Structures are given as structure tokens and as C-alpha cells.
Amino acid sequence: MAQTLLTTAEVAQKLAISVRKVRELMAIRELRYVRVCRRNLIPPEAIDEFLERNTVAPLDRRSAGDADD
């Protein structure tokens, strides 16, 4: 069951946010992590889950009343 786990710095780089923000996301349980001794490590799938939950769909302008017929 060997799995690659990422550090907070690696996740911060992948998400283009600060390490501090990654830690905040873990603290409020928005980003799943694994506690290994004194280190918090993040499974790569946790990033995908986070992005999926926080992805905002674009507006469909045609259904908003802008009929170009």
C-alpha cells in the first residue's frame, strides 16, 4: 500500500498558493491529509478532491435570457 504523499510545500506549489494557506485548508478540514509522526502529508488524490469540490462552472449565458435567435 505504498503511496506517494506530498509535503505542504509541494501542494502549495501545485495549487499556486502559500504553504500557510495549505495549512489553513488542512486545519479547517478542506484538504484531506495524513499525519505521519509530526508531519502532515497530503495524498495526491486529496488535491483532486479539493479542486473538484471548489470548481465553479461557467455561466451559460444563453439560458440567462440573452437570446440571439
Side-chain angles (χ1 to χ4, degrees):
M1 190 169 143
Q3 182 180 27
T4 302
L5 298 172
L6 305 170
T7 66
T8 53
E10 291 169 327
V11 172
Q13 184 176 13
K14 287 180 181 291
L15 294 177
I17 60 176
S18 67
V19 171
R20 182 181 183 144
K21 189 62 177 177
V22 172
R23 290 183 182 132
E24 287 177 19
L25 291 170
M26 292 187 306
I28 63 172
R29 301 295 197 262
E30 283 290 317
L31 184 61
R32 187 168 54 92
Y33 64 95
V34 178
R35 182 88 171 151
V36 179
C37 298
R38 299 182 76 184
R39 297 184 68 185
N40 295 325
L41 301 171
I42 300 99
E45 314 82 62
I47 299 171
D48 297 334
E49 294 164 5
F50 173 78
L51 293 173
E52 184 68 30
R53 279 192 317 275
N54 290 284
T55 298
V56 178
L59 291 176
D60 183 4
R61 299 205 182 266
R62 292 182 188 260
S63 65
D66 293 339
D68 290 333
D69 295 336

